[in-house]
Amino acid sequence: MSHVPLSETRVIAQGLRAMTVADLPLIHPIELASYDHPWSIGNFADSLGAGYSMWVLEAGGDVMGYYAMMAAAGEAHLLNLTIAPDWRRHGLGRDLLAHCLARACEQQAGSVFLEVRTSNIAAISLYHSSGFVDLAVRRAYYPAGEGREDALIMKKDLSC
């Protein structure tokens, strides 16, 4: 994997673009490397077909991350935000989240909701530091190695 200097990755606007069906073979290996129970290519294709806001971050020909968000009835739901393993801990997740929140505002959402595995401390920390608050725990929401794992439901009110 070729890497561009971090100073260049901070200017993500040039490498951020709407996801297309042609991106699915590029993002799916990242999904597989990131989760024990990943989205399928069909999940991504269905989300694209439903018109969800889906974006890819790339540089130097490498996909570094992506997100999927749906917005309706004044609310948005962040469905998936993933950074490729080699690109984590560089602030790219925060950048993608900021873009997602801006897109939610453009779609007249007053708030953004998400679910995150209770074991995903890095993501929970990112969301807390970005103004999300804990709403509830949804018991046994996610499939896990043995049984099921709880999801933390989080919300951020937007002031667009």
Side-chain angles (χ1 to χ4, degrees), residues 117-136:
R117 287 179 183 270
T118 54
S119 64
N120 193 341
I121 303 304
I124 292 169
S125 176
L126 168 65
Y127 298 135
H128 280 153
S129 68
S130 298
F132 282 80
V133 296
D134 302 349
L135 285 184

Side-chain angles (χ1 to χ4, degrees), residues 12 16 53-55 66-71 76-81 92-107 109 111-114 127 132 156 158 160:
I12 67 168
L16 191 59
S53 183
M54 300 178 68
W55 292 79
Y66 50 88
Y67 75 82
M69 178 200 55
M70 61 178 265
H77 194 126
L78 178 57
L79 303 170
N80 188 325
L81 188 150
L92 300 177
R94 185 170 308 282
D95 291 343
L96 273 181
L97 181 58
H99 185 269
C100 176
L101 297 175
R103 293 286 301 161
C105 282
E106 289 173 8
Q107 296 181 35
S111 54
V112 177
F113 293 87
L114 61 86
Y127 298 135
F132 282 80
K156 178 178 174 76
L158 301 175
C160 305

